[in-house]
Amino acid sequence: TVRLAIQLIFAFFPTLSNLISFAVKTKYPFVRRQQIEMVSAGIELHARGFPAEDPITGEIVNSPQGFTDEEKKLGSEFDYFWASEKREIMINDGNVGVLVTPLLTTLVTTSIVSAVAIYGVAKTFYLLDDVALSWVPSFLQIVCGLSV
């Protein structure tokens, strides 16, 4: 079982990660030289305060330099949120309290899984000497690491 774990960690998972990254790279939206040049031109236009065309969607994007100081401050405060969280805040008229419940749920779930995994490792540590069951504490240790 230890040999299998080593094979999985050092052979299977890296290979799987590389295959997934290859699949992602083939779907990357910038595939033509023209799109890359449009991005460079858009950056230059934004630096001068002008709007520019998004090379993927074709939409016109305003320059970040065209915002007032208050809009810039508000925008920088919202940079910490995911797009889905920003939508949720907008739907609820700017009430950020709607994000507290999912946050607390995640915190409690992570704490419980971590505590159970740590307890499990402590209680099954003696199994490291048993060839057939030596994977149990190692697995629980991995679960603990993944839960954090």
Side-chain angles (χ1 to χ4, degrees), residues 2-53:
V2 173
R3 183 176 176 179
L4 175 64
I6 290 172
Q7 288 173 337
L8 287 174
I9 291 170
F10 292 105
F12 178 74
F13 292 131
T15 302
L16 181 65
S17 296
N18 284 331
L19 290 172
I20 291 171
S21 70
F22 178 74
V24 169
K25 288 176 187 175
T26 61
K27 301 295 181 194
Y28 194 69
F30 298 118
V31 293
R32 295 188 316 269
R33 182 94 174 131
Q34 178 188 11
Q35 289 174 314
I36 296 170
E37 290 169 359
M38 286 178 68
V39 170
S40 297
I43 291 171
E44 287 179 28
L45 285 170
H46 280 327
R48 289 187 270 147
F50 296 108
E53 181 181 348

Side-chain angles (χ1 to χ4, degrees), residues 112-124:
I112 290 171
V113 170
S114 295
V116 169
I118 290 170
Y119 178 78
V121 169
K123 287 297 187 181
T124 61

Side-chain angles (χ1 to χ4, degrees), residues 39-103:
V39 170
S40 297
I43 291 171
E44 287 179 28
L45 285 170
H46 280 327
R48 289 187 270 147
F50 296 108
E53 181 181 348
D54 184 329
I56 297 173
T57 63
E59 295 179 12
I60 300 297
V61 179
N62 288 327
S63 169
Q65 294 184 0
F67 295 117
T68 66
D69 288 339
E70 185 179 329
E71 289 172 329
K72 287 179 187 176
K73 183 178 182 289
L74 184 62
S76 67
E77 289 174 358
F78 275 89
D79 280 345
Y80 298 101
F81 294 102
W82 295 96
S84 59
E85 293 172 332
K86 291 177 186 177
R87 276 194 296 276
E88 192 70 31
I89 292 170
M90 287 178 62
I91 290 170
N92 289 290
D93 296 325
N95 179 14
V96 294
V98 297
L99 301 178
V100 172
T101 302
L103 180 65

